[in-house]
Every structure is written in structure tokens, then in C-alpha cells.
Amino acid sequence: MSMLIEVWGDYACFSRPEMKTERVSYDIITPSAARGLVEAIYWHPGMKYHIDRIYLLNPVRFTNIRRNEVKSTLLSSAALSAAKGGAAPVLYTSADIQQRAALVLQDVHYVIECHFTMTDKAAPGDNPGKFQDILRRRLNKGQCYHQPCFGCREFPANFREWPAGEPIPALPVTQDLGFMLYDLDYADPENIQPQFFRAKLVDGVLDCRNVEVFT
């Protein structure tokens, strides 16, 4: 069952993996980021989202910002040790903080067209109509499991269901976006593989269906 979800916000950063130190965003939201955004609104183990198309409603605009980040992380093993009575893990931000530049998107606005399929984890009483009704109700009420974001948690995303029957005013832009992250392959949890595809905007629409995926 296909759904149209409108999302918009002030800033977005869908980081290119080839940029190691400073963050540089893709020109448009990636399929994996779009799926994560929809899952933040409603997720259930009995369903799996598939991104079909992404419609570009605002021109692609970049801006430079500088952000304070920490260079260290707290290991899960340290937290587990603390839970068993060991010393509590500590992160000294004054010593670990560092300032990084980022090339991010500004004033983003998209419509995400997606559908979902049932998985083997669905309960006997689950069905597509039930899940679609729940998702539509959460979209109309602005409910979510956690705040959807555009790549980084400090870039929150507003969302609503696109009105039924209303045409989508995608920008008349046709552009080759090069290789873009499609998704992550979790078939082998010990060796998670990124998947890429050749992305192209055609009349403001990024078609994510039946694409050739490279690993």
C-alpha cells in the first residue's frame, strides 16, 4: 500500500561516506534516510518499508556551519562493566570537544512515496490495512516514536500526510547525482555492507525502484 509523506525542515545533512573529517551532505535525502525517517513515525517488526520515489519541492541549497562535536565515544563494554559494579564511564567534553565544519542543506522540502510489505514477524491479527490506518493516524496527529530528523538529531523534520489527490509540485530539475548510498545490507551482522546506486533526478523526482545496487 503506497503512502505519500510530506517532510520539511530548516537544515539537513545526509553525509557522504567519502568525506572523512568534515561532513558534506548529498544533494538530496537518501533512500535509507527517508526510510529511517518514516520508521521514526511508525515502526513494527511485522512490516518493512520500501522507498519508491522522492520528490524535490525546494531548490537544492547548501550552507556552511560549524558545530561542536566530541571525538570520543563511550564503549558499550564500559557501560556493561559499570552495570556490574565497576567504575562508571566518563567523557570529559572539555578535553574531547572539537569544532568541525559541515556543508549542509538548507530549507529542505520533500514528498516521500513509500509502501510496506509484511514480514514473518507479523502477528496473526496483523494485516496491511491495520498498519496503514495506524501510520495515517500518526501522521495526522503528528505522533512519532522519536523525533524524525534529517540526517542529524539537531536537524528535526516536520511531517504530515500529503493530501490525497493533490498534485505534487516537484521542481523541473533533471540532474545526475552520481553514486548515492541506497541502504545497508545486514545479511551478515559481522560484516555489514553499504549499498550504492546511481542516483538521478528526472523532473524533480528520484526514482528508487528497481535500481541497480552496487556493494
Side-chain angles (χ1 to χ4, degrees):
M1 294 186 177
S2 182
M3 296 284 294
L4 291 173
I5 302 173
E6 181 185 9
V7 294
W8 69 96
D10 295 329
Y11 297 99
C13 185
F14 311 108
S15 300
R16 290 180 173 272
E18 66 267 28
M19 306 298 183
K20 298 298 184 181
T21 303
E22 312 299 340
R23 298 183 187 272
V24 176
S25 178
Y26 284 110
D27 293 43
I28 190 173
I29 186 172
T30 64
S32 59
R35 178 175 53 79
L37 194 155
V38 178
E39 287 178 344
I41 301 170
Y42 178 62
W43 178 86
H44 189 281
M47 64 191 300
K48 180 181 180 180
Y49 288 105
H50 307 273
I51 304 301
D52 298 322
R53 299 182 183 90
I54 297 170
Y55 299 82
L56 178 68
L57 272 60
N58 279 359
V60 177
R61 294 173 54 200
F62 285 95
T63 187
N64 285 290
I65 64 172
R66 299 191 70 87
R67 303 186 303 162
N68 291 328
E69 300 184 10
V70 291
K71 59 184 179 181
S72 302
T73 58
L74 294 177
L75 300 177
S76 58
S77 57
L80 181 60
S81 176
K84 295 181 178 179
V90 179
L91 181 66
Y92 297 100
T93 55
S94 58
D96 284 281
I97 199 168
Q98 57 186 7
Q99 199 170 68
R100 288 183 175 176
L103 186 63
V104 303
L105 297 169
Q106 186 175 12
D107 191 22
V108 295
H109 194 178
Y110 311 110
V111 169
I112 300 170
E113 180 181 346
C114 63
H115 73 278
F116 62 85
T117 54
M118 305 291 289
T119 72
D120 56 3
K121 295 183 180 179
D126 293 333
N127 60 76
K130 169 186 173 181
F131 287 150
Q132 187 179 46
D133 289 344
I134 294 174
L135 176 58
R136 178 168 283 120
R137 184 165 60 249
R138 295 177 73 85
L139 287 169
N140 293 333
K141 291 184 177 181
Q143 296 175 327
C144 54
Y145 285 130
H146 58 84
Q147 176 62 52
C149 62
F150 287 122
C152 302
R153 290 190 179 276
E154 59 265 44
F155 300 150
N158 303 294
F159 61 91
R160 68 168 184 167
E161 184 179 7
W162 185 259
E166 184 174 325
I168 303 174
L171 295 180
V173 176
T174 297
Q175 179 181 346
D176 190 340
L177 301 177
F179 284 102
M180 176 182 285
L181 179 67
Y182 181 75
D183 213 331
L184 296 175
D185 183 5
Y186 292 94
D188 181 4
E190 300 298 325
N191 186 27
I192 301 173
Q193 293 292 322
Q195 298 176 323
F196 297 88
F197 76 112
R198 194 64 183 254
K200 185 177 182 179
L201 275 175
V202 178
D203 293 330
V205 180
L206 178 62
D207 196 333
C208 306
R209 302 167 302 166
N210 303 319
V211 296
E212 184 178 3
V213 176
F214 304 90
T215 56

